[in-house]
Amino acid sequence: MEHTRLGTALIGETSGRCRTALAAALAESYLLAGRIDFFDLQQPSAANNAFVRGLQTAGEADDALLGAAILAHTAFIPGWEGHREDAEERMSAARAYARRGNAPAMMLAWLDAVEAECMTRCNDTRTALRLISHAECVLTEGDTDEPCPVWMDWFSPVRLAAFKGNTQLIAGHTAQARATLLGVLDNLPADDGKQRTIILGDLAAVEAAAGRSEEACRWANEALDQLSATWYAVGMDRIRDVRKRLHAWRDEPYVRSLDDRMYGWGTTVSALQR
């Protein structure tokens, strides 16, 4: 946010190519700030404000791909609340900007993945799985060597598979979700701590859904290990969801042990701060 304040102060003093370059940098800063507000701090209102300002400055830079990325991120906000029509409208706008900017295959696949996650949150896993299948085709048939903008570093075929595994889980395709998520875990970069927490949490949820409560706790404990190294609010939400699925086994020693870890000083304070 300090970058955005500095950029906003400077942009009024520039013109021509300098103003365009500064506007693009400012839009990137707003995009990143919005991502942190939404995914890490769980402040959707602040995230929306950052995305709106980012879209304005992307317009100053006339950067259609930045516009597409920002608009797709705004779709998460109503999508996660289950407001399907608003999410679909924002995704339609994002796709229009992507076409205008001749978006590369990787970005087109990411747009499908974003909409798929929104549809999953809106309880339409059939549409979500269709979108993910389309994204897989885009990556298979498209030119994945076509360069993406340097700021788009949050998506890859492994990340697409992570979206798929979560949707399969929510759709009740337990065996398929397990196989997909284990494949993701094997191929996830070692430094991708936040995503690792999500995958471990989803694997715990898979085992809880399958009635394998002790195995679910094992995965949940691994997720907590990762959270202790890399805090991620969305990851903690995944573990809370798993614990709800384990209610029938609440008196088992391994579930009580999980509770002791979940409600330890560090995790409890971190959760309450957000």
Side-chain angles (χ1 to χ4, degrees):
M1 287 308 298
E2 288 303 321
H3 275 274
T4 67
R5 293 186 183 102
L6 175 61
T8 300
L10 291 175
I11 200 167
E13 307 300 322
T14 61
S15 61
R17 292 176 62 185
C18 184
R19 183 182 181 91
T20 299
L22 181 58
L26 184 53
E28 290 178 34
S29 293
Y30 273 124
L31 172 58
L32 181 57
R35 283 174 58 84
I36 294 170
D37 280 331
F38 187 74
F39 294 111
D40 295 86
L41 302 180
Q42 296 187 317
Q43 296 175 355
S45 179
N48 190 67
N49 289 337
F51 292 144
V52 168
R53 292 177 181 178
L55 192 62
Q56 291 171 335
T57 50
E60 285 266 2
D62 195 24
D63 191 323
L65 293 185
L66 258 176
I70 294 168
L71 280 163
H73 276 87
T74 69
F76 280 125
I77 298 172
W80 282 32
E81 293 295 324
H83 300 155
R84 177 174 182 151
E85 290 185 1
D86 289 343
E88 288 178 326
E89 182 179 7
R90 295 181 184 198
M91 286 307 306
S92 293
R95 292 182 190 281
Y97 276 78
R99 288 193 298 272
R100 192 178 304 160
N102 295 316
M106 192 67 72
M107 189 169 193
L108 294 175
W110 172 70
L111 292 175
D112 281 336
V114 172
E115 189 166 2
E117 177 151 350
C118 291
M119 293 303 100
T120 298
R121 299 271 179 160
C122 294
N123 299 313
D124 186 357
T125 53
R126 178 175 295 183
T127 297
L129 288 170
R130 178 181 56 78
L131 285 161
I132 290 170
S133 178
H134 183 264
E136 290 172 333
C137 290
V138 168
L139 292 182
T140 299
E141 299 169 5
D143 181 5
T144 53
D145 291 329
E146 187 179 0
C148 275
V150 293
W151 42 260
M152 189 182 164
D153 60 354
W154 58 75
F155 189 68
S156 66
V158 174
R159 290 294 186 96
L160 176 60
F163 277 101
K164 182 178 183 178
N166 179 255
T167 299
Q168 289 171 327
L169 163 64
I170 294 171
H173 304 165
T174 307
Q176 294 176 3
R178 181 187 293 113
T180 300
L181 292 166
L182 286 172
V184 172
L185 197 61
D186 286 342
N187 291 285
L188 199 66
D191 61 351
D192 201 344
K194 290 182 179 180
Q195 189 65 27
R196 187 171 299 275
T197 302
I198 296 294
I199 302 308
L200 292 168
D202 280 351
L203 280 166
V206 165
E207 300 308 338
R212 301 171 61 182
S213 55
E214 194 164 3
E215 187 70 3
C217 285
R218 183 179 73 81
W219 285 116
N221 274 296
E222 285 199 35
L224 287 171
D225 289 342
Q226 183 62 58
L227 274 179
S228 67
T230 312
W231 175 260
Y232 191 32
V234 177
M236 191 64 196
D237 286 344
R238 289 287 215 274
I239 299 172
R240 289 196 189 98
D241 289 342
V242 169
R243 179 59 183 83
K244 291 175 185 177
R245 292 172 182 259
L246 294 172
H247 184 70
W249 296 276
R250 61 189 179 278
D251 293 327
E252 295 292 340
Y254 48 83
V255 176
R256 289 184 173 180
S257 177
L258 177 64
D259 285 346
D260 288 341
R261 290 202 64 195
M262 282 182 64
Y263 304 117
W265 287 110
T267 52
T268 303
V269 171
S270 294
L272 291 175
Q273 285 178 331
R274 291 158 173 81

